[in-house]
């Protein structure tokens, strides 16, 4: 997008508790497909660039309720923060922002409610462009949904905006029947008016809050240019206030993402039950055979198959690898031609090199399985480095934790670890070594050595008292 947005700053109102969510968490941290609501709003603002050479416009988020949690969730410079310790309304939130931003020389502020995650950059760009073109003192986006619900009503007179009246304040006797046009909660304000108009906001209304929407009536009264930018019935602009609305928005987003990937050549067999996060990357030719959840920065390469009921978070899967049903992968990286699951659990730092297998009921944490290494059944590998072609028998456990510290296990290439061994870390097993089944290994096993660490079997006649009567 190359609209000239110089002298534009953006403010996201994100301090509210979201009372209607009935939750102890700040509303803007509620997730859609694994990403917090606020993430989507910030993403939509990112493509707004002042000029082709410059970066995105600067963005501040007003935070209040649960502010530490919001700061922690967005600590990679996605936004700067302004605090509104008491949440006295959207107008009060803007005033808090303006106290910090008035020293900067923005000509306009784009103000966006933080609970509008489905908003798209293109619409925002058109809106800002129109506000600039008409040199509006106050511009805001409007929509006309089938049900105006509790949203602010736009009052017009012969097409000219007069005011935004909040639903609970709306009196038909005074304003006439509502047209159904509502305020979307997205504003573009000429900063020249803020010093004068912000102090005029008051909280003498049914909510006892300072309403940002009152700026419209105040501007009209001063004959300033006010633009109500009509975005039709664009449901993507509806704010989210309740769990019902959150899930409805998530479903719109989910369908949008699944359809995009299908169109790009990803084979999604259960499109109604695939949940794919917005930052996930799927290569054409990847295949999802049933209900799956793919979140975060997961990436599935061409030819890889993810079977039903798998959940992948921040996990990379290379070409021609199979992730079998009911596997749970987080922060893992899986090479080409691997097999994972069914029922595998790969935790952060699990790395499988090409051709490796991690089979059923295998848990791997912070460990590398080298090329063609196999741990096919019932195993825990933690803090382990396992060389190429190693075979890990059923029931092998790396005892990596002594109750205080974690310790590493190293297994050289071509080693064979028999079933049901406990490898008590720190411990090293050399190349080509063989560890007998049932061993408890506490000391180094050198290359090409055989280690047996278990009580020797003894055999003797069965004592009389244990004998069973012959029938
Ligand atoms: C607001 C608008 C309404 C519009 C609707 C669109 C007002 C008074 N009303 O209503 O006209 O139709 O959005 O979705 O603005 N917030 C703060 N600090 C506060 C209060 C709120 O930062 O003190 C933030 C919230 O976190 C939220 C946003 O502002 O992200 C909007 O607040 P909310 O209470 O959801 O406003 P609505 O009642 O939905
Ligand atoms: Ca809202």
């Amino acid at each position: 997008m190359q609209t000239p947005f110089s002298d534009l700053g953006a403010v996201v109102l994100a301090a509210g508790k979201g009372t209607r969510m009935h939750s102890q968490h700040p509303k803007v941290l509620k997730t859609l497909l694994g990403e917090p609501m606020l993430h989507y709003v910030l993403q939509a603002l990112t493509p707004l660039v002042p000029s082709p050479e410059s970066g995105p416009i600067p963005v501040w988020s007003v935070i209040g309720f649960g502010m530490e949690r919001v700061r922690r969730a967005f600590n990679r410079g996605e936004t700067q923060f302004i605090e509104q310790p008491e949440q006295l309304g959207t107008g009060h939130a803007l005033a808090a922002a303006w106290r910090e931003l008035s020293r900067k020389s923005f000509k306009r502020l784009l103000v966006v409610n933080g609970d509008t995650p489905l908003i798209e950059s293109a619409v925002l760009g058109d809106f800002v462009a129109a506000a600039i073109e008409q040199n509006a003192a106050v511009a805001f986006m409007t929509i006309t949904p089938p049900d105006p619900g509790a949203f602010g009503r736009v009052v017009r007179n012969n097409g000219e905006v007069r005011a935004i009246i909040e639903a609970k304040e709306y009196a038909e006797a005074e304003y006439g029947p509502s047209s159904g046009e509502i305020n979307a909660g997205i504003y573009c304000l000429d900063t020249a008016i803020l010093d004068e108009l912000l102090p005029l906001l008051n909280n003498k209304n049914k909510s006892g809050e300072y309403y940002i929407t009152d700026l419209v009536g105040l501007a009209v009264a001063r004959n300033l240019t006010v633009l109500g930018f009509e975005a039709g019935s664009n449901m993507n602009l509806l704010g989210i206030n309740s769990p019902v609305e959150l899930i409805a928005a998530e479903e719109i987003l989910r369908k949008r993402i699944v359809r995009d990937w299908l169109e790009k050549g990803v084979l999604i067999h259960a499109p109604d039950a695939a949940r794919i996060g917005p930052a996930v990357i799927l290569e054409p030719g990847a295949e999802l055979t049933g209900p799956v959840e793919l979140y975060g920065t997961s990436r599935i390469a061409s030819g890889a198959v993810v079977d039903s009921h798998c959940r992948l978070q921040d996990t990379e899967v290379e070409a021609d690898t199979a992730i079998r049903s009911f596997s749970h992968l987080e922060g893992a990286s899986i090479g080409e031609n691997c097999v994972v699951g069914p029922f595998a659990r790969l935790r952060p730092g699990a790395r499988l090199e090409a051709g490796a297998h991690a089979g059923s009921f295998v848990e791997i944490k912070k460990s590398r399985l080298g090329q063609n290494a196999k741990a096919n059944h019932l195993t825990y590998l933690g803090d382990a480095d396992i060389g190429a072609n190693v075979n890990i028998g059923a029931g092998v456990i790396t005892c990596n934790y002594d109750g205080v510290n974690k310790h590493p296990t190293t297994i050289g290439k071509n080693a064979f670890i028999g079933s049901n061994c406990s490898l008590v870390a720190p411990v090293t097993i050399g190349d080509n070594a063989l560890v007998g089944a049932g061993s408890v290994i506490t000391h180094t096993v050198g290359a090409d050595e055989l280690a047996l660490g278990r009580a020797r079997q003894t055999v003797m006649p069965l004592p009389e008292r244990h004998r069973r009567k012959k029938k």
Side-chain angles (χ1 to χ4, degrees):
M1 199 176 307
Q2 305 201 346
T3 327
F5 294 142
S6 47
D7 304 335
L8 179 69
V11 173
V12 181
L13 305 184
K17 176 168 192 243
T19 310
R20 290 161 277 181
M21 278 289 173
H22 303 281
S23 165
Q24 285 311 106
H25 297 285
K27 178 165 74 172
V28 292
L29 292 188
K30 286 273 168 283
T31 60
L32 298 88
L33 299 173
E35 303 296 337
M37 220 184 267
L38 181 56
H39 163 87
Y40 292 92
V41 178
L42 296 173
Q43 280 296 113
L45 292 169
T46 308
L48 301 181
V49 290
S51 66
E53 322 63 76
S54 76
I57 58 170
V59 178
W60 285 265
S61 298
V62 180
I63 52 173
F65 180 79
M67 60 170 87
E68 287 316 317
R69 267 184 276 188
V70 182
R71 276 185 192 279
R72 256 181 276 132
F74 294 89
N75 60 4
R76 286 183 229 104
E78 303 97 322
T79 174
Q80 303 170 69
F81 293 105
I82 291 172
E83 296 184 4
Q84 182 200 17
E86 259 191 302
Q87 292 83 56
L88 303 181
T90 48
H92 183 259
L94 176 61
W98 184 238
R99 261 197 304 282
E100 299 219 6
L101 300 182
S102 57
R103 281 168 270 115
K104 319 230 178 240
S105 56
F106 296 122
K107 170 90 177 77
R108 286 192 167 73
L109 276 189
L110 173 61
V111 181
V112 182
N113 280 357
D115 61 358
T116 316
L118 295 191
I119 184 165
E120 288 169 301
S121 302
V123 186
L124 275 178
D126 292 347
F127 166 62
V128 174
I132 293 173
E133 192 187 302
Q134 302 194 21
N135 199 19
V138 175
F140 61 99
M141 262 202 233
T142 80
I143 40 176
T144 307
D147 173 11
F151 295 99
R153 277 29 175 186
V154 179
V155 178
R156 291 186 190 254
N157 193 347
N158 296 323
E160 298 287 308
V161 170
R162 307 308 301 166
I164 298 172
I165 305 296
E166 290 307 301
K168 33 174 113 151
E169 325 282 341
Y170 195 89
E172 281 204 4
E174 194 176 347
Y175 307 109
S178 165
S179 64
E181 184 183 11
I182 62 140
N183 166 33
I186 295 158
Y187 316 83
C188 189
L189 307 170
D190 185 333
T191 52
I193 66 161
L194 293 177
D195 280 329
E196 187 190 343
L197 297 194
L198 280 176
L200 301 179
L201 295 179
N202 65 61
N203 61 355
K204 298 192 185 73
N205 52 50
K206 294 211 169 103
S207 309
E209 290 187 356
Y210 295 85
Y211 292 159
I212 193 174
T213 46
D214 286 347
L215 288 177
V216 172
L218 289 169
V220 168
R222 278 158 188 73
N223 274 321
L224 298 168
T225 310
V226 174
L227 167 67
F229 181 90
E230 294 174 64
S233 60
N234 191 336
M235 292 309 135
N236 294 343
L237 295 173
L238 279 184
I240 291 178
N241 301 301
S242 66
V244 170
E245 290 163 1
L246 176 72
I247 298 315
E250 189 177 37
E251 185 58 12
I252 292 173
L253 185 71
R254 193 193 66 74
K255 284 190 169 133
R256 193 197 281 169
I257 292 173
V258 167
R259 194 193 50 230
D260 280 359
W261 287 122
L262 277 168
E263 282 167 3
K264 286 184 181 138
V266 178
L267 193 46
I268 304 176
H269 291 274
D272 293 337
R275 305 174 65 77
I276 303 170
V280 169
I281 294 173
L282 304 175
E283 291 181 8
E287 189 167 358
L288 314 176
T289 68
V292 289
E293 293 179 86
L294 308 177
Y295 294 135
T297 55
S298 296
R299 184 177 61 81
I300 315 289
S302 186
V305 179
V306 179
D307 283 339
S308 60
H309 304 287
C310 287
R311 188 184 196 281
L312 277 66
Q313 171 86 41
D314 304 322
T315 287
E316 309 226 317
V317 177
E318 297 298 348
D320 304 321
T321 279
I323 312 293
R324 303 270 184 242
S325 293
F326 295 100
S327 293
H328 189 282
L329 285 68
E330 184 182 354
S333 121
I334 320 291
E336 294 181 5
N337 281 304
C338 292
V339 179
V340 172
F343 299 100
R345 178 172 183 215
L346 270 47
R347 291 166 50 198
R351 188 154 69 85
L352 270 59
E353 293 185 349
H357 289 193
S360 39
F361 305 103
V362 169
E363 175 175 342
I364 303 182
K365 184 217 77 168
K366 228 179 170 182
S367 296
R368 176 184 76 100
L369 265 188
Q371 273 198 22
N372 298 316
K374 295 188 172 62
N376 272 327
H377 333 266
L378 301 157
T379 283
Y380 171 65
L381 302 172
D383 306 301
D385 187 76
I386 294 163
N389 305 312
V390 166
N391 195 300
I392 305 281
V396 169
I397 307 284
T398 55
C399 309
N400 61 328
Y401 184 50
D402 60 12
V404 182
N405 295 306
K406 301 276 168 69
H407 301 284
T409 299
T410 306
I411 303 177
K413 61 178 187 295
N414 305 319
F416 183 98
I417 313 297
S419 292
N420 221 31
C421 286
S422 301
L423 309 177
V424 182
V427 72
T428 299
I429 294 164
D431 295 352
N432 312 311
L434 193 151
V435 177
S439 293
V440 176
I441 299 297
T442 54
H443 296 104
T444 301
V445 179
D448 302 302
E449 287 180 333
L450 165 67
L452 298 169
R454 62 194 189 210
R456 179 178 288 276
Q457 177 176 329
T458 49
V459 179
M460 66 190 85
L462 189 60
E464 191 61 43
R465 65 182 186 282
H466 285 297
R467 293 202 184 149
R468 289 197 287 168
K469 298 249 163 19
K470 285 204 178 93
K471 283 186 190 137

